[in-house]
Amino acid sequence: MEGSAQPCLVLKLLSNKIGSLLCFWNSPKKYRRLDTKLETKMVELKRSSSGESKFRSINGIILKFPHFKEGLKEIKDVFEQFDSNGTIDRDELKKCVKKLHFHAKDEEVNDLFDSCDVDEKEGIQFNEFIVLLCLLYLLIDSSSSSGNTPKIGSPELEATFNTIVEAFLFLDKNGDGKLHKKDVLKALNDECPCEKSPSHVTRTRFREMDWNRSGKVSFRQFLFAFLDWVGIDTDDEKGRLRATTTPQPN
């Protein structure tokens, strides 16, 4: 019983801080072109998978959180080599991309820098850096690499990005490249049938992704929220997981 209750508690107590931060970040025009490209890419991936997913439940995604953190350690190590004040600039970003053996063009990197610098301070923070790299991996022009050359030089990092994409595709029930509120709430509630009553919990989870309150979530928005849930910028993984399974006062 304790094992089955844990995912529900994790869903309830995943970080709330992102909601207060992202509610100010509506999706302006500069994001529309990027989000449209991502939607197209997600539709392609959904169709190529024939609707099948390696995930069968939200619980399966939650259990992968430690795997996601481990898989992204290489990114953190590279970021910290160039980070002097909590951010990296354009030139430092290009050095990071080269260090991680991404086969990308400068214009692709520049475009994503503008789209992932959400606070527009001309500096990429660590969570923005991960989002940027994942989007770069998805959107790299196939002509940027020749023959069968992989898009990035790290099989572990590629596998991590692919698994994050799988998590999104699992929640994208319509296969239209966006997450819809009713589908996400149903997936969250189906995982915890004995605890459907606290509907504010599942709605909060969706609000953390739905920055402009449209009822639809792009992959870019999902990725920012997902990284916060995983706790990618925290060092004490075990402490965080313990905290999420300890009931808190209302």
Side-chain angles (χ1 to χ4, degrees), residues 17-34:
K17 65 182 179 181
I18 198 168
S20 60
L21 288 172
L22 298 186
C23 65
F24 299 106
W25 293 344
N26 291 332
S27 185
K29 290 181 180 178
K30 74 173 185 176
Y31 296 139
R32 288 179 188 167
R33 184 168 64 92
L34 171 62

Side-chain angles (χ1 to χ4, degrees), residues 10-21 65 204-205 208 225 227-231 233-234 240 244:
V10 172
L11 286 172
K12 280 186 177 184
L13 300 168
L14 285 170
S15 172
N16 287 319
K17 65 182 179 181
I18 198 168
S20 60
L21 288 172
F65 281 7
T204 297
R205 296 285 78 76
E208 290 171 356
L227 292 174
D228 189 77
W229 298 344
V230 171
D233 58 352
T234 62
R240 181 181 175 88
T244 60

Side-chain angles (χ1 to χ4, degrees), residues 10 14-15 18 61-62 64-72 130 160 164 167 208 222-238 240-241 244:
V10 172
L14 285 170
S15 172
I18 198 168
I61 297 173
I62 292 171
K64 283 284 187 180
F65 281 7
H67 166 80
F68 293 132
K69 280 191 81 166
E70 185 65 29
L72 295 171
I130 298 175
T160 299
I164 292 173
E208 290 171 356
F222 164 80
L223 197 47
F224 273 109
F226 185 81
L227 292 174
D228 189 77
W229 298 344
V230 171
I232 196 63
D233 58 352
T234 62
D235 293 322
D236 183 10
E237 178 182 295
K238 290 182 180 178
R240 181 181 175 88
L241 290 175
T244 60

